[in-house]
């Protein structure tokens, strides 16, 4: 365990390739697809174009048919004629929506590329609509546009918009930041209770009325690596970030829990005895897949910012070889521990020029390439095994009990490749 | 502004992508913000293509806004040309780029790239996917078709036709092309060029050398066909060969245009006999609701009434550009045409139509599931299962065979329906045993939506006490086979409401049955 808790090494040792060009990535609107499942009384209204609606529909798949709590106010030609008109139209859409969905307590107006380019001021619209709908519904806004955000950054923007809404409280507490599947969140809450940390809360909450408090007594753990703005907003409210590896695999989860235990003065022996069973289970589950994955090479194309901690997990806990770890954005401070645990000389790339990156994939011919759905089948056709990245964001993958499932997500494409004879 | 959760059509640049992806040797440079590349996965996942669509996006971000984006566009266009060496390029803007007014067309034309550049103007705030595909194909044809290359004299050669309209991501386009090619071959007619699907810009240049054009999908090919008629004097077919009757009419039309004899009695496949066989008798008068793109909806209505003996109780389309076709057809069947792109309006219309089968898109499939109605898919938009591995055309006589199977399958087979009614009290046919045609002996499952949102699911599930019903009437209701029970219950409750009956008795149930009997 001491090895994983080693002090961070300066990231200057890692070669970082910065590229600009065509980026084959989702925009932040996609975050809505999992955020609306998490916060059960919130509605996400995108103010955008038919393209935005089409994107959400493509990303949400069958969820769209279950009366989901998101929608798009599609900007039409007449809205572009004059801004005053667009504001009135938006008010009408919101009023109609809230009349139809009385269970909604929190409404996010989500900015898109078109709404930002025409400079439709959604923060003023939110203020205006708050007056009308107070106190039944709280209305907030954030940007999920492609020009401002990449994929998971949409969650960051959303959570950062919630921080000013949190009430002030100086009490000692641990805050877990980042939307996790309920089952994972419950596991972490049980572990922290057993460790002996009493006040534990989560951002986002499952219901908007349970928004946690924040203050100088707040210490927070990031459950996800893409929460730079949210962390900054929390720090501005006096909360303190606990640096840690992200909770993937047996080691990552132990280190993550340990960061909180140390901060809250938990006895080391007690900590070890609490985490030991879960840690052992995780290791057993991983051993099962290590045979298959050890020595295999993997190439990450940028997608979610989960790439660095996942690469750390695959390399340190399963013995995979890292060819290139691409990320849309590299938050050096938050990723310090994971970066430090990467093998010396690991090629990191930030940003993307997709055609050039694909040339590198073809040249390296890795055993597995992690990439988006637009690239996966074309690479398979070229004889390369792929793992589509978006599943890593939707599936429960954090914590001890999911460590084996996480490894299996990477092992399965290789198993399949070995099995097929067609 | 329009509040939307689900859209029948994407934005017009997705239509342009469908044309570009269907073609070969053509590249699309799209001025679009980061994120718009999501559209790639429609092609790689839903249609399961093994190549990336031939599209380069500029993927600009906030930091690029300002004077930078024009240069970004030119760099993307130059890189795309160098890497892919296309025979021609199409260039245009997505919805956001339309607002920043970089004029990709003007920028690309001044770059002096050594291939034809076709500029697209696709207004995304007023038009949609099908229009975008039609406009793109029209611009490609107009700018690449070589006006010098006209149809050669007919001596000693077979007549030839162009197939116009099939694209990437088209509902059954792949197999329709095969079927129609076969129909034409049987008449002695060769396919000259099939476009956009499979054609290169070089092929487009020679479009004028065909004797006539076959318009497979008017939504995409009509504009181009009209231009070709004006320019080269090529006539084009007006009948879309979906259904036995339409296929016969199409054969006659194509033979006439080609100047070959109309075959007296072509082999029409199995569908006519299947439909006449006695097991199909129970299909008579089944009430069917039809919604989709106008071409497929109109064709489906004709098959439903004239070839399967259904009663068409609803007919509509989501693409306003072809609303006139739906209005004409609706008048023929004596129903109100439904022209809307709002699925909630479609849902209300289906619920009100009191139908026994829904023919529609992916969306209607879900509406029907929610209303517990049988359903078959006849039109885009569709999901991955409607891009099947097996040969599965809609057009021609094989298409009619496919349609018969596809539409009848969700209905309970005649003999099975008869047996279920006869033995409805038998344990094997009880509600708990579940419908045999839905794969076994599991109890009727609740729809997934039911779990998520119980309040909105119509209550038509198994044995239970029902509010407003006397216990005798509830028992009687539960004797009705499960697959028609929901309708019986709705009808009875509607009847009771109309008559002001507060407690529904066995009497009320049968009064309602008589009232709604046809």
């Amino acid at each position: 365990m001491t090895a994983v808790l080693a002090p961070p090494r300066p990231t200057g040792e890692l070669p970082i390739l910065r590229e600009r060009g065509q980026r084959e990535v989702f925009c932040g609107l996609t975050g809505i697809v999992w955020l609306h499942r998490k916060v059960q009384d919130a509605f996400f209204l995108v103010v955008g174009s038919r393209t935005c609606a089409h994107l959400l529909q493509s990303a949400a798949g069958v969820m769209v048919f279950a009366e989901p709590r998101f929608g798009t106010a599609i900007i039409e030609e007449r809205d572009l004629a004059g801004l005053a008109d667009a504001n009135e139209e938006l008010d009408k859409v919101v009023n109609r929506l809230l009349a139809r969905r009385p269970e909604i307590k929190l409404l996010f107006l989500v900015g898109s590329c078109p709404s930002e380019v025409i400079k439709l001021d959604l923060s003023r619209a939110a203020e205006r609509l708050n007056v009308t709908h107070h106190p039944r519904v709280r209305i907030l806004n954030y940007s999920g546009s492609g020009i401002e955000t990449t994929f998971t950054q949409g969650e960051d923007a959303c959570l950062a918009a919630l921080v000013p809404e949190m009430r002030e409280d100086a009490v000692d507490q641990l805050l877990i930041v980042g939307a996790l599947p309920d089952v994972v969140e419950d596991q972490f809450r049980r572990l922290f209770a057993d460790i002996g940390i009493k006040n534990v809360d989560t951002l986002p909450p499952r219901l908007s009325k349970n928004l946690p408090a924040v203050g100088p007594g707040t210490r927070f753990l990031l459950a996800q690596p893409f929460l730079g703005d949210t962390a900054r907003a929390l720090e501005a409210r006096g909360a303190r970030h606990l640096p840690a590896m992200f909770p993937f695999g047996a080691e990552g989860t132990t280190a993550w829990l340990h960061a909180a235990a140390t901060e809250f003065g938990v006895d080391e022996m007690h900590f070890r005895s609490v985490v030991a069973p879960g840690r052992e289970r995780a290791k057993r589950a991983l051993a099962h897949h290590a045979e298959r994955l050890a020595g295999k090479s993997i190439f990450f194309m940028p997608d979610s910012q989960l790439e660095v901690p996942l690469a750390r997990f695959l390399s340190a806990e399963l013995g995979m070889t890292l060819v290139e770890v691409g990320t849309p954005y590299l938050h050096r401070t938050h990723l310090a521990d994971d970066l430090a645990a990467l093998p010396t000389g690991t090629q990191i790339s930030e940003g993307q020029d997709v055609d050039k990156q694909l040339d590198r994939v073809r040249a390296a011919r890795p055993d597995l390439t992690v990439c988006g759905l637009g690239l996966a089948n074309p690479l398979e056709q070229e004889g390369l095994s792929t793992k589509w990245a978006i599943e890593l964001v939707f599936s429960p993958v954090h914590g001890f009990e999911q460590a084996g499932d996480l490894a299996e997500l990477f092992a399965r494409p290789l198993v399949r490749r070995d099995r097929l004879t067609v | 502004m329009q509040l939307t959760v689900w859209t029948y059509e994407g934005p017009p640049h997705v239509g342009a992508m469908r044309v570009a992806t269907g073609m070969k040797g053509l590249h699309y440079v799209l001025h679009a913000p980061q994120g718009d590349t999501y559209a790639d996965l429609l092609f790689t996942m839903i249609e399961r293509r093994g190549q990336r669509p031939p599209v380069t996006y500029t993927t600009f971000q906030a930091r690029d806004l300002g004077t930078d984006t024009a240069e970004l566009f030119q760099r993307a266009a130059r890189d795309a040309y160098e890497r892919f060496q296309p025979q021609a390029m199409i260039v245009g803007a997505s919805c956001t780029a339309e607002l920043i007014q970089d004029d990709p067309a003007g920028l690309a034309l001044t770059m002096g790239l050594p291939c034809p550049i076709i500029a697209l103007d696709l207004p995304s705030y007023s038009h949609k996917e099908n229009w975008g595909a039609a406009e793109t194909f029209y611009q490609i044809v107009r700018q690449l078709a070589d006006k010098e290359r006209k149809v050669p004299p007919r001596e000693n050669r077979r007549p030839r036709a162009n197939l116009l309209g099939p694209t990437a991501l088209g509902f059954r386009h792949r197999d329709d092309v095969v079927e129609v090619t076969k129909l034409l071959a049987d008449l002695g007619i060769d396919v000259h060029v099939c476009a956009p699907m499979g054609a290169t810009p070089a092929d487009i240049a020679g479009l004028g050398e065909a004797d006539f054009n076959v318009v497979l999908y008017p939504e995409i090919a009509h504009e181009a066909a009209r231009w070709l008629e004006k320019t080269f004097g090529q006539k084009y077919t007006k009948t879309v060969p979906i259904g036995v009757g339409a296929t016969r009419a199409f054969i006659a039309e194509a033979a006439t245009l080609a100047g070959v004899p109309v075959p007296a009695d072509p082999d029409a496949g199995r569908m006519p006999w299947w439909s006449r066989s006695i097991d199909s008798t129970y299909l008579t008068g089944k009430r069917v609701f039809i919604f989709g793109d106008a071409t497929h909806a109109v064709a489906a209505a004709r098959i439903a009434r004239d070839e399967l003996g259904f009663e068409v109780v609803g007919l509509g389309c989501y693409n306003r550009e072809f609303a006139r076709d739906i209005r004409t057809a609706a008048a023929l069947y004596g129903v109100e045409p439904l022209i809307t792109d709002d699925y909630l309006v479609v849902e209300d219309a289906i619920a009100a139509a009191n139908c026994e089968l829904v023919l529609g898109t992916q969306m209607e499939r879900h509406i029907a599931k929610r209303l517990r109605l049988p359903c078959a898919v006849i039109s885009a938009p569709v999901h991955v299962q409607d891009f099947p591995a097996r040969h599965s055309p809609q057009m021609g006589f094989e298409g009619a065979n496919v349609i018969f199977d596809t539409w009848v399958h969700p209905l309970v087979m005649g003999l099975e329906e008869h047996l279920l009614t006869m033995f409805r009290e038998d344990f094997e046919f009880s509600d708990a045993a579940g419908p045999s045609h839905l794969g076994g002996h599991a109890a009727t499952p609740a729809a997934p939506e039911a779990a998520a949102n119980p309040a909105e699911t119509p209550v038509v599930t198994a044995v239970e006490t029902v509010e407003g019903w006397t216990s005798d009437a509830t028992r009687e209701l539960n004797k009705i086979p499960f697959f028609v029970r929901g309708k019986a219950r709705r009808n009875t409750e509607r009847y009771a409401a109309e008559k002001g009956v507060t407690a529904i008795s066995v009497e009320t149930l049968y009064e309602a049955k008589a009232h709604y009997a046809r």
Side-chain angles (χ1 to χ4, degrees), chain A residues 20 23-24 57 72 74 89 147 150 359 373 377, chain B residues 1-2 4 7 34 38 40 44 62 64 83:
Chain A
R20 284 186 67 180
R23 293 161 72 100
E24 184 87 17
Q57 175 173 325
T72 310
I74 294 185
E89 285 284 310
I147 56 178
T150 304
D359 289 343
L373 292 172
N377 268 335
Chain B
M1 275 179 202
Q2 187 202 358
T4 327
T7 66
Q34 166 177 270
Y38 80 87
D40 281 0
T44 60
D64 304 316
R83 182 174 281 270

PDB file of all heavy atoms in Angstrom, chain A residues 20 23-24 57 72 74 89 147 150 359 373 377, chain B residues 1-2 4 7 34 38 40 44 62 64 83:
ATOM      1  N   ARG A  20      -3.665  20.145 -31.907  1.00  0.00           N
ATOM      2  CA  ARG A  20      -4.919  20.816 -32.281  1.00  0.00           C
ATOM      3  C   ARG A  20      -5.264  20.394 -33.692  1.00  0.00           C
ATOM      4  O   ARG A  20      -4.409  20.227 -34.535  1.00  0.00           O
ATOM      5  CB  ARG A  20      -4.754  22.334 -32.209  1.00  0.00           C
ATOM      6  CG  ARG A  20      -4.771  22.853 -30.803  1.00  0.00           C
ATOM      7  CD  ARG A  20      -4.760  24.364 -30.808  1.00  0.00           C
ATOM      8  NE  ARG A  20      -6.006  24.905 -31.354  1.00  0.00           N
ATOM      9  CZ  ARG A  20      -6.234  26.212 -31.470  1.00  0.00           C
ATOM     10  NH1 ARG A  20      -5.323  27.074 -31.128  1.00  0.00           N
ATOM     11  NH2 ARG A  20      -7.370  26.636 -31.950  1.00  0.00           N
ATOM     12  N   ARG A  23     -11.270  17.283 -33.766  1.00  0.00           N
ATOM     13  CA  ARG A  23     -11.466  16.531 -32.519  1.00  0.00           C
ATOM     14  C   ARG A  23     -12.713  15.680 -32.651  1.00  0.00           C
ATOM     15  O   ARG A  23     -13.800  16.206 -32.836  1.00  0.00           O
ATOM     16  CB  ARG A  23     -11.613  17.491 -31.335  1.00  0.00           C
ATOM     17  CG  ARG A  23     -10.338  18.249 -31.024  1.00  0.00           C
ATOM     18  CD  ARG A  23     -10.634  19.492 -30.183  1.00  0.00           C
ATOM     19  NE  ARG A  23     -10.995  19.179 -28.803  1.00  0.00           N
ATOM     20  CZ  ARG A  23     -10.156  19.267 -27.773  1.00  0.00           C
ATOM     21  NH1 ARG A  23      -8.909  19.653 -27.981  1.00  0.00           N
ATOM     22  NH2 ARG A  23     -10.548  18.985 -26.552  1.00  0.00           N
ATOM     23  N   GLU A  24     -12.540  14.390 -32.554  1.00  0.00           N
ATOM     24  CA  GLU A  24     -13.664  13.463 -32.662  1.00  0.00           C
ATOM     25  C   GLU A  24     -14.158  13.195 -31.242  1.00  0.00           C
ATOM     26  O   GLU A  24     -13.842  12.168 -30.640  1.00  0.00           O
ATOM     27  CB  GLU A  24     -13.200  12.178 -33.368  1.00  0.00           C
ATOM     28  CG  GLU A  24     -14.284  11.157 -33.642  1.00  0.00           C
ATOM     29  CD  GLU A  24     -15.020  11.372 -34.962  1.00  0.00           C
ATOM     30  OE1 GLU A  24     -14.512  12.115 -35.830  1.00  0.00           O
ATOM     31  OE2 GLU A  24     -16.113  10.790 -35.106  1.00  0.00           O
ATOM     32  N   GLN A  57     -30.638  12.785 -28.657  1.00  0.00           N
ATOM     33  CA  GLN A  57     -31.389  11.603 -29.058  1.00  0.00           C
ATOM     34  C   GLN A  57     -30.441  10.456 -29.413  1.00  0.00           C
ATOM     35  O   GLN A  57     -30.656   9.310 -29.019  1.00  0.00           O
ATOM     36  CB  GLN A  57     -32.234  12.000 -30.260  1.00  0.00           C
ATOM     37  CG  GLN A  57     -32.998  10.928 -30.924  1.00  0.00           C
ATOM     38  CD  GLN A  57     -33.907  11.557 -31.985  1.00  0.00           C
ATOM     39  OE1 GLN A  57     -34.416  12.655 -31.790  1.00  0.00           O
ATOM     40  NE2 GLN A  57     -34.098  10.891 -33.090  1.00  0.00           N
ATOM     41  N   THR A  72     -35.089  19.825 -25.544  1.00  0.00           N
ATOM     42  CA  THR A  72     -34.415  20.914 -26.238  1.00  0.00           C
ATOM     43  C   THR A  72     -35.438  21.944 -26.678  1.00  0.00           C
ATOM     44  O   THR A  72     -36.467  21.571 -27.245  1.00  0.00           O
ATOM     45  CB  THR A  72     -33.679  20.385 -27.491  1.00  0.00           C
ATOM     46  OG1 THR A  72     -32.882  19.273 -27.123  1.00  0.00           O
ATOM     47  CG2 THR A  72     -32.797  21.463 -28.108  1.00  0.00           C
ATOM     48  N   ILE A  74     -35.795  24.210 -29.368  1.00  0.00           N
ATOM     49  CA  ILE A  74     -35.113  24.369 -30.649  1.00  0.00           C
ATOM     50  C   ILE A  74     -35.288  25.799 -31.169  1.00  0.00           C
ATOM     51  O   ILE A  74     -36.404  26.280 -31.348  1.00  0.00           O
ATOM     52  CB  ILE A  74     -35.624  23.354 -31.684  1.00  0.00           C
ATOM     53  CG1 ILE A  74     -35.247  21.932 -31.256  1.00  0.00           C
ATOM     54  CG2 ILE A  74     -35.063  23.657 -33.071  1.00  0.00           C
ATOM     55  CD1 ILE A  74     -35.595  20.867 -32.268  1.00  0.00           C
ATOM     56  N   GLU A  89     -39.859  33.827 -26.258  1.00  0.00           N
ATOM     57  CA  GLU A  89     -40.135  32.463 -26.685  1.00  0.00           C
ATOM     58  C   GLU A  89     -39.640  31.459 -25.638  1.00  0.00           C
ATOM     59  O   GLU A  89     -40.319  30.490 -25.328  1.00  0.00           O
ATOM     60  CB  GLU A  89     -39.433  32.176 -28.018  1.00  0.00           C
ATOM     61  CG  GLU A  89     -40.107  32.829 -29.200  1.00  0.00           C
ATOM     62  CD  GLU A  89     -41.369  32.089 -29.608  1.00  0.00           C
ATOM     63  OE1 GLU A  89     -41.292  30.861 -29.757  1.00  0.00           O
ATOM     64  OE2 GLU A  89     -42.420  32.737 -29.740  1.00  0.00           O
ATOM     65  N   ILE A 147     -18.363  24.444 -28.034  1.00  0.00           N
ATOM     66  CA  ILE A 147     -17.274  25.422 -28.099  1.00  0.00           C
ATOM     67  C   ILE A 147     -16.654  25.661 -26.720  1.00  0.00           C
ATOM     68  O   ILE A 147     -15.514  26.060 -26.604  1.00  0.00           O
ATOM     69  CB  ILE A 147     -17.698  26.757 -28.779  1.00  0.00           C
ATOM     70  CG1 ILE A 147     -18.894  27.394 -28.091  1.00  0.00           C
ATOM     71  CG2 ILE A 147     -17.994  26.552 -30.246  1.00  0.00           C
ATOM     72  CD1 ILE A 147     -19.308  28.726 -28.697  1.00  0.00           C
ATOM     73  N   THR A 150     -16.050  19.738 -23.459  1.00  0.00           N
ATOM     74  CA  THR A 150     -15.893  18.438 -24.096  1.00  0.00           C
ATOM     75  C   THR A 150     -16.523  17.376 -23.204  1.00  0.00           C
ATOM     76  O   THR A 150     -16.083  17.186 -22.072  1.00  0.00           O
ATOM     77  CB  THR A 150     -14.397  18.120 -24.287  1.00  0.00           C
ATOM     78  OG1 THR A 150     -13.807  19.180 -25.028  1.00  0.00           O
ATOM     79  CG2 THR A 150     -14.211  16.813 -25.050  1.00  0.00           C
ATOM     80  N   ASP A 359      -3.241   7.727 -37.472  1.00  0.00           N
ATOM     81  CA  ASP A 359      -2.000   7.237 -38.096  1.00  0.00           C
ATOM     82  C   ASP A 359      -1.107   6.583 -37.050  1.00  0.00           C
ATOM     83  O   ASP A 359      -0.488   5.548 -37.303  1.00  0.00           O
ATOM     84  CB  ASP A 359      -1.239   8.385 -38.777  1.00  0.00           C
ATOM     85  CG  ASP A 359      -1.949   8.877 -40.047  1.00  0.00           C
ATOM     86  OD1 ASP A 359      -2.816   8.137 -40.556  1.00  0.00           O
ATOM     87  OD2 ASP A 359      -1.635   9.990 -40.505  1.00  0.00           O
ATOM     88  N   LEU A 373     -17.505   5.896 -30.453  1.00  0.00           N
ATOM     89  CA  LEU A 373     -18.294   5.016 -31.319  1.00  0.00           C
ATOM     90  C   LEU A 373     -18.142   5.349 -32.803  1.00  0.00           C
ATOM     91  O   LEU A 373     -18.402   4.517 -33.658  1.00  0.00           O
ATOM     92  CB  LEU A 373     -19.775   5.106 -30.939  1.00  0.00           C
ATOM     93  CG  LEU A 373     -20.125   4.523 -29.569  1.00  0.00           C
ATOM     94  CD1 LEU A 373     -21.565   4.849 -29.217  1.00  0.00           C
ATOM     95  CD2 LEU A 373     -19.911   3.032 -29.569  1.00  0.00           C
ATOM     96  N   ASN A 377     -15.895   0.908 -34.924  1.00  0.00           N
ATOM     97  CA  ASN A 377     -16.107  -0.048 -36.004  1.00  0.00           C
ATOM     98  C   ASN A 377     -15.108   0.128 -37.155  1.00  0.00           C
ATOM     99  O   ASN A 377     -14.583  -0.867 -37.659  1.00  0.00           O
ATOM    100  CB  ASN A 377     -17.548   0.002 -36.515  1.00  0.00           C
ATOM    101  CG  ASN A 377     -18.437  -1.004 -35.796  1.00  0.00           C
ATOM    102  OD1 ASN A 377     -17.952  -2.007 -35.277  1.00  0.00           O
ATOM    103  ND2 ASN A 377     -19.723  -0.741 -35.756  1.00  0.00           N
TER     104      ASN A 377
ATOM    105  N   MET B   1     -39.465  29.166 -30.712  1.00  0.00           N
ATOM    106  CA  MET B   1     -38.806  27.979 -30.164  1.00  0.00           C
ATOM    107  C   MET B   1     -39.798  26.847 -30.034  1.00  0.00           C
ATOM    108  O   MET B   1     -40.958  27.062 -29.726  1.00  0.00           O
ATOM    109  CB  MET B   1     -38.236  28.308 -28.775  1.00  0.00           C
ATOM    110  CG  MET B   1     -36.878  28.936 -28.859  1.00  0.00           C
ATOM    111  SD  MET B   1     -36.261  29.320 -27.221  1.00  0.00           S
ATOM    112  CE  MET B   1     -35.064  30.578 -27.640  1.00  0.00           C
ATOM    113  N   GLN B   2     -39.284  25.648 -30.255  1.00  0.00           N
ATOM    114  CA  GLN B   2     -40.140  24.475 -30.192  1.00  0.00           C
ATOM    115  C   GLN B   2     -39.549  23.528 -29.156  1.00  0.00           C
ATOM    116  O   GLN B   2     -38.364  23.205 -29.200  1.00  0.00           O
ATOM    117  CB  GLN B   2     -40.172  23.808 -31.578  1.00  0.00           C
ATOM    118  CG  GLN B   2     -41.151  22.671 -31.691  1.00  0.00           C
ATOM    119  CD  GLN B   2     -40.795  21.728 -32.840  1.00  0.00           C
ATOM    120  OE1 GLN B   2     -39.840  21.940 -33.586  1.00  0.00           O
ATOM    121  NE2 GLN B   2     -41.565  20.662 -32.979  1.00  0.00           N
ATOM    122  N   THR B   4     -38.749  20.104 -27.671  1.00  0.00           N
ATOM    123  CA  THR B   4     -38.616  18.798 -28.305  1.00  0.00           C
ATOM    124  C   THR B   4     -37.882  17.827 -27.398  1.00  0.00           C
ATOM    125  O   THR B   4     -36.914  18.210 -26.745  1.00  0.00           O
ATOM    126  CB  THR B   4     -37.711  18.890 -29.560  1.00  0.00           C
ATOM    127  OG1 THR B   4     -37.905  20.156 -30.133  1.00  0.00           O
ATOM    128  CG2 THR B   4     -38.010  17.813 -30.541  1.00  0.00           C
ATOM    129  N   THR B   7     -36.850  13.907 -32.194  1.00  0.00           N
ATOM    130  CA  THR B   7     -37.061  14.487 -33.511  1.00  0.00           C
ATOM    131  C   THR B   7     -37.087  13.380 -34.562  1.00  0.00           C
ATOM    132  O   THR B   7     -36.312  12.437 -34.494  1.00  0.00           O
ATOM    133  CB  THR B   7     -35.947  15.482 -33.885  1.00  0.00           C
ATOM    134  OG1 THR B   7     -34.730  14.766 -34.026  1.00  0.00           O
ATOM    135  CG2 THR B   7     -35.765  16.544 -32.856  1.00  0.00           C
ATOM    136  N   GLN B  34     -16.815  21.806 -32.162  1.00  0.00           N
ATOM    137  CA  GLN B  34     -16.477  20.553 -31.488  1.00  0.00           C
ATOM    138  C   GLN B  34     -17.772  19.903 -31.006  1.00  0.00           C
ATOM    139  O   GLN B  34     -18.651  20.563 -30.477  1.00  0.00           O
ATOM    140  CB  GLN B  34     -15.577  20.876 -30.290  1.00  0.00           C
ATOM    141  CG  GLN B  34     -15.431  19.738 -29.319  1.00  0.00           C
ATOM    142  CD  GLN B  34     -14.488  20.064 -28.187  1.00  0.00           C
ATOM    143  OE1 GLN B  34     -13.300  19.824 -28.296  1.00  0.00           O
ATOM    144  NE2 GLN B  34     -14.996  20.622 -27.105  1.00  0.00           N
ATOM    145  N   TYR B  38     -20.623  13.829 -33.443  1.00  0.00           N
ATOM    146  CA  TYR B  38     -21.517  12.771 -32.936  1.00  0.00           C
ATOM    147  C   TYR B  38     -22.216  12.080 -34.101  1.00  0.00           C
ATOM    148  O   TYR B  38     -22.551  10.893 -34.030  1.00  0.00           O
ATOM    149  CB  TYR B  38     -22.578  13.358 -31.979  1.00  0.00           C
ATOM    150  CG  TYR B  38     -23.738  13.998 -32.700  1.00  0.00           C
ATOM    151  CD1 TYR B  38     -24.837  13.221 -33.100  1.00  0.00           C
ATOM    152  CD2 TYR B  38     -23.742  15.341 -33.051  1.00  0.00           C
ATOM    153  CE1 TYR B  38     -25.886  13.781 -33.812  1.00  0.00           C
ATOM    154  CE2 TYR B  38     -24.774  15.900 -33.760  1.00  0.00           C
ATOM    155  CZ  TYR B  38     -25.848  15.117 -34.134  1.00  0.00           C
ATOM    156  OH  TYR B  38     -26.877  15.665 -34.855  1.00  0.00           O
ATOM    157  N   ASP B  40     -21.190  11.028 -36.812  1.00  0.00           N
ATOM    158  CA  ASP B  40     -20.444   9.887 -37.364  1.00  0.00           C
ATOM    159  C   ASP B  40     -20.999   8.556 -36.856  1.00  0.00           C
ATOM    160  O   ASP B  40     -21.047   7.568 -37.575  1.00  0.00           O
ATOM    161  CB  ASP B  40     -18.957   9.957 -36.971  1.00  0.00           C
ATOM    162  CG  ASP B  40     -18.193  10.954 -37.839  1.00  0.00           C
ATOM    163  OD1 ASP B  40     -18.822  11.573 -38.724  1.00  0.00           O
ATOM    164  OD2 ASP B  40     -16.980  11.117 -37.623  1.00  0.00           O
ATOM    165  N   THR B  44     -21.559   4.649 -38.259  1.00  0.00           N
ATOM    166  CA  THR B  44     -20.709   3.534 -37.831  1.00  0.00           C
ATOM    167  C   THR B  44     -21.447   2.577 -36.909  1.00  0.00           C
ATOM    168  O   THR B  44     -21.095   1.407 -36.836  1.00  0.00           O
ATOM    169  CB  THR B  44     -19.441   4.033 -37.112  1.00  0.00           C
ATOM    170  OG1 THR B  44     -19.840   4.774 -35.964  1.00  0.00           O
ATOM    171  CG2 THR B  44     -18.599   4.907 -38.006  1.00  0.00           C
ATOM    172  N   ALA B  62     -14.442  27.788 -28.513  1.00  0.00           N
ATOM    173  CA  ALA B  62     -14.647  29.197 -28.177  1.00  0.00           C
ATOM    174  C   ALA B  62     -13.387  30.018 -28.460  1.00  0.00           C
ATOM    175  O   ALA B  62     -13.460  31.126 -28.974  1.00  0.00           O
ATOM    176  CB  ALA B  62     -15.038  29.327 -26.705  1.00  0.00           C
ATOM    177  N   ASP B  64     -11.320  29.741 -30.674  1.00  0.00           N
ATOM    178  CA  ASP B  64     -11.089  29.969 -32.101  1.00  0.00           C
ATOM    179  C   ASP B  64     -11.987  31.067 -32.668  1.00  0.00           C
ATOM    180  O   ASP B  64     -11.770  31.530 -33.787  1.00  0.00           O
ATOM    181  CB  ASP B  64     -11.357  28.692 -32.903  1.00  0.00           C
ATOM    182  CG  ASP B  64     -10.524  27.522 -32.412  1.00  0.00           C
ATOM    183  OD1 ASP B  64      -9.331  27.738 -32.172  1.00  0.00           O
ATOM    184  OD2 ASP B  64     -11.082  26.423 -32.279  1.00  0.00           O
ATOM    185  N   ARG B  83      -5.061  14.569 -47.749  1.00  0.00           N
ATOM    186  CA  ARG B  83      -5.129  13.231 -47.180  1.00  0.00           C
ATOM    187  C   ARG B  83      -6.005  12.292 -48.002  1.00  0.00           C
ATOM    188  O   ARG B  83      -5.662  11.144 -48.232  1.00  0.00           O
ATOM    189  CB  ARG B  83      -5.652  13.309 -45.736  1.00  0.00           C
ATOM    190  CG  ARG B  83      -5.722  11.963 -45.033  1.00  0.00           C
ATOM    191  CD  ARG B  83      -6.099  12.123 -43.573  1.00  0.00           C
ATOM    192  NE  ARG B  83      -4.969  12.538 -42.749  1.00  0.00           N
ATOM    193  CZ  ARG B  83      -4.139  11.678 -42.137  1.00  0.00           C
ATOM    194  NH1 ARG B  83      -4.308  10.373 -42.285  1.00  0.00           N
ATOM    195  NH2 ARG B  83      -3.165  12.121 -41.402  1.00  0.00           N
TER     196      ARG B  83
END
